[in-house]
Amino acid sequence: MSTPTNPTPPTPPRGPTTPTNPRDHESNTLAGGLVVFAAVMLLISGVLDVLRGIMGIAKDPVFVSTPNYVFKFDLTSWGWIHLVLGLIAIAAGLGLFRLALWARILGIVAAALLIVANFLSIPYYPLWSVTVMAASALVIWALCVIRRDRGTAAG
């Protein structure tokens, strides 16, 4: 008589696995949502900054000007600054949809520069400058809370 041999146990299927811990799934969802939020906000801010730059270059009368401002620039100069920053923000926003690390870094830098530029241009377009500063701060937060090692929100 032959002795029964112990068959090897079947190997588990390879491929994407779902997290066993529901909290991991929640973190992954939160991380994805924050990146999408940052990408969309950068795209919106970028497009609007490009339009604002064009208005500045064309010397549109929509801008308010104060005569005694420490950081006074020519309106055309502000237009070019906002045009370039808007294009950078658009590039970072598009890169974030591909989850590229360079896009996260560029997004943080672009949002920080947008905060500075909008702070300096408060006398020209006050309410909008403050609004963009707040949105850019949220973008920086959203891109900074994502952990690099797992792509999940820090917590």
Side-chain angles (χ1 to χ4, degrees):
M1 260 203 165
S2 68
T3 60
T5 59
N6 289 337
T8 58
T11 58
R14 297 200 183 248
T17 59
T18 58
T20 56
N21 185 352
R23 192 168 178 187
D24 287 344
H25 179 67
E26 181 180 312
S27 294
N28 288 335
T29 304
L30 178 64
L34 289 174
V35 172
V36 170
F37 168 79
V40 169
M41 290 304 293
L42 277 172
L43 285 173
I44 292 170
S45 295
V47 167
L48 293 175
D49 231 39
V50 165
L51 296 175
R52 184 177 180 188
I54 292 169
M55 290 184 333
I57 293 168
K59 296 186 180 190
D60 194 322
V62 73
F63 291 101
V64 177
S65 182
T66 57
N68 297 322
Y69 184 53
V70 175
F71 303 109
K72 185 172 182 161
F73 282 86
D74 178 39
L75 190 56
T76 305
S77 299
W78 279 121
W80 283 106
I81 290 169
H82 285 286
L83 181 69
V84 169
L85 286 176
L87 293 173
I88 292 170
I90 290 170
L94 292 174
L96 283 172
F97 284 117
R98 303 198 71 192
L99 299 176
L101 178 61
W102 64 265
R104 282 182 54 201
I105 295 167
L106 185 62
I108 292 169
V109 170
L113 290 174
L114 282 170
I115 288 173
V116 172
N118 281 283
F119 173 77
L120 295 177
S121 67
I122 284 175
Y124 299 102
Y125 213 21
L127 184 59
W128 182 249
S129 294
V130 172
T131 302
V132 172
M133 289 168 55
S136 296
L138 286 173
V139 166
I140 292 171
W141 171 79
L143 293 176
C144 287
V145 297
I146 307 298
R147 287 194 306 219
R148 183 174 177 212
D149 59 339
R150 291 178 32 201
T152 59

